[in-house]
């Protein structure tokens, strides 16, 4: 696997992915697992964030420290990316959140864009695209293309479960975009679902 594709082997991630996949996991627990996994994966994806020095006074003494120096944008793909963005915002409350609405046409599996209020310029150092599922890669590819056109200097994708087909597409189209994944599965079935996957991530989060 390329060094631009990080698949977590962390025991907490593996435990939570297993519970997420379970067809008996109900929406409340499913949402909590998505949130936990999003935070765990964002920790990996943000390990190279630039810092600037900052001194603070503790109750006892002066201490030298650091603050995150990068302007970060989170780009959840609706609907399923929403739970990931909320969770990551708890780690980095200063991040901007820009929603992008896409759904897959059930027959063609092509992404259809239905919501995009992005300005033509995005004053960001890093954009993080969030979607629990990377299946054909069509939806993520559209979003990365949108961000590339706005010349965001660094773009990363954070997902939970991916199919090899989606990974291949993103690697070929956008070799500079690293992928952070909680699991890499076997294949897509004839309806474009990830196998073994977890089913429909939007439906399972929002009980639809
Ligand atoms: C799901 C998922 C991704 C997309 C992945 O969304 O959340 O956005 O499919 O598939 P792809 O890699 O083949 O493009 P869906 O279209 O089901 O929309 P929803 O989140 O509104 O349910
Ligand atoms: N979107 C989902 O929610 N699940 C899949 O398996 C593929 C796309």
């Amino acid at each position: 696997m390329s060094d631009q594709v990080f698949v977590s082997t962390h025991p907490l991630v593996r435990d939570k992915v297993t519970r997420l996949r379970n067809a008996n996991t109900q929406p409340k627990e499913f949402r909590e697992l998505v949130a936990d996994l999003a935070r765990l994966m964002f920790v990996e994806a943000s390990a190279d964030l630039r810092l600037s020095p900052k001194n603070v006074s503790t109750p006892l003494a002066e201490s030298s420290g650091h603050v995150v120096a990068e302007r970060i944008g989170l780009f959840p793909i609706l609907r399923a990316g929403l739970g990931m963005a909320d969770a990551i915002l708890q780690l980095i409350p200063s991040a901007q959140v820009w929603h992008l609405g896409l759904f897959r046409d059930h027959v063609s599996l092509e992404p259809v864009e239905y919501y995009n209020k992005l300005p033509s310029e995005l004053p960001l150092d890093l954009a993080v695209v969030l979607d629990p599922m990377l299946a054909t890669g069509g939806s993520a590819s559209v979003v990365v293309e949108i961000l590339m056109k706005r010349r965001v200097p660094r773009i990363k994708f954070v997902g939970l479960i991916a199919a090899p087909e989606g990974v291949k597409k993103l690697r070929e189209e956008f070799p500079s975009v690293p992928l952070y994944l909680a699991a890499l599965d076997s294949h897509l079935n004839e309806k474009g679902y990830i196998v073994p996957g977890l089913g429909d991530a939007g439906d399972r989060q929002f009980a639809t």
Side-chain angles (χ1 to χ4, degrees), residues 178-200:
L179 313 181
Y180 295 85
L181 306 168
L184 180 57
D185 278 10
S186 161
H187 64 279
L188 294 178
N189 71 11
E190 66 289 350
K191 291 187 172 158
Y193 276 87
I194 302 174
V195 181
L198 50 72
D200 186 306

Side-chain angles (χ1 to χ4, degrees), residues 95-155:
Q96 298 180 16
V97 183
W98 294 96
H99 302 88
L100 287 157
L102 297 173
F103 68 85
R104 283 200 315 178
D105 180 88
H106 280 295
V107 179
S108 69
L109 301 182
E110 290 297 319
V112 181
E113 190 177 318
Y114 63 88
Y115 185 82
N116 175 354
K117 296 276 185 199
L118 294 194
S120 56
E121 299 284 324
L122 281 167
L124 295 172
D125 301 304
L126 171 67
V128 184
V129 180
L130 303 172
D131 196 325
M133 309 307 275
L134 180 67
T136 65
S139 306
S141 168
V142 166
V143 172
V144 173
E145 181 76 42
I146 286 169
L147 296 173
M148 290 259 170
K149 282 196 179 130
R150 285 163 173 79
R151 295 193 197 82
V152 178
R154 284 203 299 153
I155 302 170

